Amino acid sequence: MNRLTALCVATLSFLVLTGGSCSREHVESMNKMNEGVIYAQQRQYVAAIEALERSSAIDPSNHEAFWNLAIVHMEMQKYEPARDDLQKAIALAPEAAGYQFKLGEVLIELDDWSGAQQALEKAVQLDPTLFKGYYKLARVHEELAVAEDGTTNSQAALRRYTEAIQKGPRFLEAYSALGRLYADLGYLDQAVQVLQAAQQVALEGTEESATTHALLGSIYQQQNKPEDAIREFRAALAIVPGMPDALFSLGWTYAEQGNKEEASRFLKKYVDVAGANAPAHYVKAARDRLNEIIEGH
């Protein structure tokens, strides 16, 4: 989802000027903020920033102006200014879970994993239903598992992904991440259970559904269940015919079974669609296996 959808437009009645709680400065600030939001939605970012900075100068207590300024900076991939904007917004509205969540996202972009953890934990504390907050926390724990205590943080990541699923039962990304992490940690049966559950909630024919089939196929590969793996890879490709991971894995599984014709067909397709962004060692492995098949004839 585009970050611009998070921009906040406020509408005020000028009747409040005659006796309401809003000051003239606050109304002017909100009007200038709305002007900045419109510029941002038109992708006129320089004008948007100018208007939003003016809004915050007119009324320094307008936390929504700082929030919108952060969103624009994020859209421009200027994460340090976005961090500063969000910290100002949080100082004015410390109980806003969305501000804490967005700060966590920005700190992830800045590789400040401990800072991101603190912000995201505060976000889910303020709003326990914020399933994407648990998901992002799990990602942070995975990064910390590499950098620090692998066992402790890996278990924390499993717990947070599970919480994300509990709070957002249709959030497929959490299922996929949890299944992958279980597999990485060697808990293959648990990985299968999670991905089978994902298939129950995934919409038929969607890319998310294809991803769950491909992931489940890779787990079956690790369990030495080639027929089950082939079934899942084919299901993924029936939805997304050019999915590189599924093409490679299906071709490789057929090769391991000695089915040279099908192995050659799918590995060639993988090489054709892999492109420049494909892992070089996968492309090399596919080419080497194709050469072995050709020489075997």
Side-chain angles (χ1 to χ4, degrees), residues 3-294:
R3 295 188 188 94
L4 291 178
T5 59
L7 288 164
C8 174
V9 178
T11 57
L12 290 174
S13 169
F14 284 94
L15 293 176
V16 298
L17 293 175
T18 64
S21 60
C22 289
S23 67
R24 182 179 299 275
E25 289 77 12
H26 185 68
V27 173
E28 290 177 358
S29 174
M30 291 301 243
N31 288 337
K32 183 60 69 172
M33 184 191 80
N34 289 340
E35 180 184 320
V37 168
I38 292 170
Y39 279 130
Q41 291 171 339
Q42 296 170 347
R43 301 189 183 279
Q44 298 183 46
Y45 296 132
V46 174
I49 289 174
E50 181 180 345
L52 291 167
E53 287 179 341
R54 179 59 182 156
S55 171
S56 65
I58 294 171
D59 180 6
S61 69
N62 183 0
H63 55 87
E64 291 180 3
F66 292 111
W67 159 262
N68 283 309
L69 196 53
I71 299 299
V72 175
H73 279 137
M74 289 180 70
E75 192 67 19
M76 299 173 71
Q77 298 184 345
K78 294 184 176 181
Y79 295 110
E80 290 183 357
R83 174 198 59 201
D84 298 342
D85 299 330
L86 286 165
Q87 288 172 340
K88 291 174 184 176
I90 289 168
L92 294 166
E95 301 306 308
Y99 293 3
Q100 297 283 356
F101 173 75
K102 195 62 68 174
L103 178 59
E105 286 192 315
V106 168
L107 293 175
I108 286 173
E109 295 290 345
L110 293 172
D111 293 333
D112 181 357
W113 302 105
S114 60
Q117 180 182 354
Q118 182 178 354
L120 291 166
E121 285 179 347
K122 183 65 174 178
V124 298
Q125 177 187 338
L126 291 168
D127 182 1
T129 68
L130 194 61
F131 59 90
K132 289 187 179 180
Y134 296 101
Y135 174 77
K136 295 287 185 177
L137 260 176
R139 280 193 54 204
V140 169
H141 281 300
E142 283 203 74
E143 291 292 335
L144 291 174
V146 175
E148 299 174 7
D149 180 357
T151 302
T152 300
N153 282 296
S154 293
Q155 293 300 320
L158 291 174
R159 184 178 72 254
R160 292 304 194 180
Y161 280 134
T162 301
E163 289 174 320
I165 291 170
Q166 292 169 342
K167 303 295 183 179
R170 300 195 65 82
F171 185 43
L172 268 294
E173 290 180 58
Y175 288 90
S176 296
L178 180 59
R180 172 192 49 74
L181 181 55
Y182 268 133
D184 290 345
L185 295 173
Y187 304 136
L188 299 182
D189 290 340
Q190 290 90 332
V192 169
Q193 291 173 7
V194 169
L195 292 169
Q196 286 176 337
Q199 290 180 349
Q200 298 301 310
V201 300
L203 294 176
E204 288 285 339
T206 62
E207 189 170 342
E208 287 181 331
S209 176
T211 298
T212 64
H213 282 294
L215 284 171
L216 186 53
S218 69
I219 307 303
Y220 284 137
Q221 268 188 326
Q222 294 178 60
Q223 290 182 319
N224 196 27
K225 297 179 178 179
E227 295 302 327
D228 290 333
I230 287 170
R231 181 188 68 242
E232 296 300 328
F233 293 137
R234 281 190 169 275
L237 291 170
I239 300 169
V240 183
M243 181 179 284
D245 291 348
L247 287 170
F248 177 88
S249 297
L250 182 57
W252 197 267
T253 304
Y254 275 129
E256 291 293 300
Q257 283 195 304
N259 188 334
K260 296 181 179 180
E261 181 178 349
E262 289 293 81
S264 178
R265 182 160 72 96
F266 286 104
L267 288 174
K268 283 180 180 177
K269 285 185 178 181
Y270 170 74
V271 171
D272 289 340
V273 305
N277 293 326
H281 61 285
Y282 273 91
V283 176
K284 182 178 185 304
R287 292 185 187 279
D288 289 346
R289 201 64 185 252
L290 283 168
N291 288 334
E292 290 174 8
I293 292 171
I294 293 170

